[in-house]
Amino acid sequence: MSNLPAFIAPSRFTDPAAALAKAREIYDASIAHLREAMRRFVAGDDFPGRVRACYPFVRVQTDTVSRLNSAQVSHLSYGFVAGPGRFETTLSRPDLYASYYLEQFTLLLKNHNVELEVGTSTQPIPVHFSFAEHDHIEVSLSPERRQLMRDVFDLPDLTAMDDGIANGTHEPRPGEPQPLSLFTAPRVDYSLHRLRHYTGTAPEHFQNFVLFTNYQFYMDEFVRLGHEAMADPTSEYIAFVEPGNVVTRRVGTVVMAGDELGKVPPRLPQMPGYHLVRADRSGISMVNIGVGPSNAKTITDHIAVLRPHAWIMLGHCAGLRNTQQLGDYVLAHGYVREDHVLDEELPLWVPIPALAEIQVALESAVSDITLLKGADLKRIMRTGTVASTDNRNWELLPDNGPQRRFSQSRAVALDMESATIAANGFRFRVPYGTLLCVSDKPLHGEIKLPGMANQFYRERVDQHLRIGMRAIELLRQERLDQLHSRKLRSFAEVAFQ
């Protein structure tokens, strides 16, 4: 016997807003049911059967390969199904994803002229994913009572949240619909909870453009610029959010409900996140991923469910060419992947192409900030291959194997994160780019010494960060259908962006 919320019958829609409203009705009813049951469970109530509530789903079915607006939207990389069949996905957090879902629903209706069906799926919502942002009632449970949760509620099931769809390995079972989205609802919820843990900020604060860095110096400068923007009543940004969900509103704006719940954490999280917020969510989120490809993969695995419009790596690298100077920039147009963290999900034979829109924005941003053009610009910025390794001490290997491979690949720079971020952008269909700054030249005897490094950081961090922020300003001015390159989509893609 299951303790279920009141049944909400599936409905068909030709109005995307009405379809979204129905999905939200189902989701809200399911979450309310789980929260009330959990409140009673913590209070000591027993239940005659299992407590369960399920995610809403959206479904579309078509019997033709043609699209009504194929001539007008041939440039689009998403918003349509690949061919005839039944396509479906579960949905989560329609409050957070309202604009995103509305766009996807609108494009499906426009391109296929079929009804959307919205109803209650058979995929249970794990009770952990029903807790509100500041709801921690489970901490009052005794160990014995916590053990009983598994008998009463559905807990996270990792078999329902793998990345087979994104990896291109998912094969629907006979009679099972084809996927509409890269991520199932449980996979989305899992990542939303992981983002809170790793960055110290709620998913609601993340913006659609993301900067990654591997040094705290960049974060310190981003914080300074964030507070500077909040002191400017004409700033395009309306809030600045720091770990612990500490919100600073732009001067002259009203404090919002919930701002008071933010609290500076006793220590920074593993990969602290900061957010310059715009009203349309097209602001800038910045995350310090630290050093190494493992963190780079972990955080991009989770930020990908937010479906950002672009992410860019800004960090330091080793220059591999003698003609480079400390402080020169490297714009990656290719990657050598010796990071190994994505070998199982994305085979090494898969090329990771440069994306023209990101490349142009980054090069233009370097020119705008440095005020250099033509030959002068080329003197401080080199375009070339970036190699990423998981061995920080690759220089110490006795056989010179890495040096030989880097030379054969024509690499001009080496770091530990950029190829991972680019490869996961390719894998998750998130536009990506890399602009690095040469901080040492180990092959040519120029290593980081404390005094030299500190001077370098002071001189270059501010400029490098402003270049990244300027690149995002330029990308923001692009049409999003141009930014989401078809290079990232296969011939049998899901419809959702």
Side-chain angles (χ1 to χ4, degrees):
M1 177 179 178
S2 293
N3 188 332
L4 299 169
F7 178 69
I8 300 176
S11 305
R12 296 180 181 276
F13 299 91
T14 56
D15 177 2
L20 177 60
K22 176 59 69 172
R24 187 161 188 171
E25 177 189 355
I26 295 169
Y27 180 81
D28 289 349
S30 294
I31 293 298
H33 176 76
L34 289 176
R35 287 179 179 173
E36 174 58 20
M38 187 63 185
R39 185 194 64 78
R40 291 174 52 196
F41 182 80
V42 170
D45 286 3
D46 292 319
F47 293 88
R50 193 167 190 82
V51 175
R52 172 165 289 173
C54 295
Y55 291 102
F57 74 84
V58 61
R59 178 187 298 146
V60 64
Q61 187 158 331
T62 179
D63 57 5
T64 176
V65 298
S66 67
R67 285 182 276 147
L68 294 182
N69 298 280
S70 57
Q72 297 96 320
V73 297
S74 60
H75 59 280
L76 276 180
S77 62
Y78 60 92
F80 52 89
V81 295
R86 182 163 55 102
F87 301 82
E88 182 178 311
T89 189
T90 47
L91 305 171
S92 184
R93 293 296 305 277
D95 56 328
L96 177 62
Y97 287 93
S99 296
Y100 173 76
Y101 286 156
L102 190 62
E103 181 195 17
Q104 312 314 309
F105 292 178
T106 299
L107 288 172
L108 284 171
L109 290 167
K110 179 179 179 181
N111 289 325
H112 295 289
N113 195 28
V114 294
E115 295 177 316
L116 297 178
E117 184 178 355
V118 177
T120 304
S121 74
T122 58
Q123 179 63 57
I125 302 176
V127 69
H128 296 77
F129 298 161
S130 71
F131 298 162
E133 177 68 31
H134 299 283
D135 189 359
H136 304 294
I137 60 174
E138 76 282 3
V139 299
S140 61
L141 290 172
S142 67
E144 295 76 18
R145 195 70 174 163
R146 190 176 295 113
Q147 184 70 23
L148 286 174
M149 281 181 63
R150 188 176 296 274
D151 294 337
V152 179
F153 298 97
D154 291 295
L155 303 189
D157 177 8
L158 294 181
T159 62
M161 54 184 77
D162 67 67
D163 282 330
I165 301 171
N167 293 343
T169 58
H170 174 73
E171 292 288 345
R173 296 185 294 271
E176 183 182 39
Q178 298 177 67
L180 262 180
S181 174
L182 291 177
F183 303 107
T184 63
R187 171 66 168 84
V188 169
D189 277 341
Y190 178 79
S191 283
L192 296 182
H193 279 255
R194 292 287 82 196
L195 284 176
R196 294 186 182 95
H197 170 73
Y198 286 120
T199 71
T201 54
E204 289 80 355
H205 298 308
F206 272 82
Q207 302 297 288
N208 275 320
F209 294 93
V210 184
L211 294 176
F212 296 111
T213 189
N214 51 10
Y215 279 96
Q216 183 61 31
F217 298 96
Y218 286 82
M219 308 309 298
D220 295 341
E221 185 63 16
F222 190 64
V223 170
R224 187 186 70 79
L225 293 175
H227 285 290
E228 186 179 281
M230 293 306 96
D232 178 4
T234 66
S235 173
E236 62 184 322
Y237 300 103
I238 62 172
F240 183 64
V241 183
E242 303 175 63
N245 297 316
V246 176
V247 180
T248 303
R249 297 282 170 186
R250 187 184 65 201
V251 63
T253 58
V254 178
V255 173
M256 304 294 287
D259 286 359
E260 74 284 356
L261 299 176
K263 185 178 180 181
V264 177
R267 64 190 65 84
L268 285 177
Q270 183 175 341
M271 289 178 273
Y274 299 79
H275 313 278
L276 259 175
V277 179
R278 279 173 53 110
D280 60 359
R281 297 194 66 173
S282 66
I284 304 172
S285 292
M286 190 164 189
V287 181
N288 179 6
I289 60 176
V291 176
S294 179
N295 275 1
K297 177 185 182 297
T298 295
I299 199 64
T300 48
D301 279 350
H302 299 313
I303 290 179
V305 306
L306 297 173
R307 309 315 297 142
H309 295 319
W311 60 41
I312 295 173
M313 175 65 187
L314 301 178
H316 295 158
C317 65
L320 299 181
R321 303 301 176 92
N322 197 31
T323 54
Q324 292 170 306
Q325 303 297 318
L326 300 186
D328 283 358
Y329 294 113
V330 174
L331 177 60
H333 74 182
Y335 301 89
V336 174
R337 295 168 52 201
E338 293 202 359
D339 49 340
H340 301 302
V341 294
L342 280 168
D343 290 1
E344 291 186 39
E345 288 94 346
L346 194 69
L348 287 173
W349 50 259
V350 176
I352 308 300
L355 303 182
E357 296 80 6
I358 308 291
Q359 299 296 97
V360 170
L362 283 169
E363 182 172 352
S364 297
V366 175
S367 179
D368 290 349
I369 299 301
T370 63
L371 302 178
L372 298 175
K373 297 183 183 300
D376 290 334
L377 180 62
K378 292 179 181 296
R379 180 174 49 80
I380 68 157
M381 185 184 73
R382 183 159 187 165
T383 301
T385 297
V386 170
S388 290
T389 178
D390 60 355
N391 184 352
R392 178 60 187 86
N393 296 314
W394 61 272
E395 309 100 308
L396 306 183
L397 293 176
D399 63 355
N400 289 325
Q403 294 182 39
R404 184 166 53 251
R405 291 194 299 276
F406 299 152
S407 176
Q408 290 171 326
S409 69
R410 312 300 192 267
V412 299
L414 175 76
D415 76 347
M416 300 185 69
E417 301 86 22
S418 293
T420 309
I421 288 171
N424 241 6
F426 181 89
R427 175 177 167 232
F428 291 129
R429 290 74 161 171
V430 176
Y432 53 84
T434 302
L435 183 72
L436 302 176
C437 191
V438 176
S439 60
D440 63 330
K441 295 166 58 181
L443 296 183
H444 309 286
E446 294 190 50
I447 62 174
K448 291 178 185 174
L449 298 174
M452 184 173 65
N454 288 336
Q455 181 181 0
F456 165 77
Y457 295 141
R458 285 193 299 269
E459 291 177 350
R460 271 292 183 261
V461 165
D462 174 69
Q463 184 183 79
H464 196 184
L465 177 57
R466 288 181 182 273
I467 290 170
M469 295 175 70
R470 174 58 181 160
I472 286 177
E473 291 175 2
L474 295 172
L475 291 171
R476 194 185 291 138
Q477 297 167 14
E478 298 277 347
R479 293 206 329 260
L480 294 181
D481 57 2
Q482 292 179 321
L483 182 56
H484 290 279
S485 173
R486 283 178 289 176
K487 290 181 183 178
L488 301 181
R489 315 286 285 189
S490 78
F491 46 80
E493 270 293 333
V494 298
F496 280 21
Q497 175 254 312

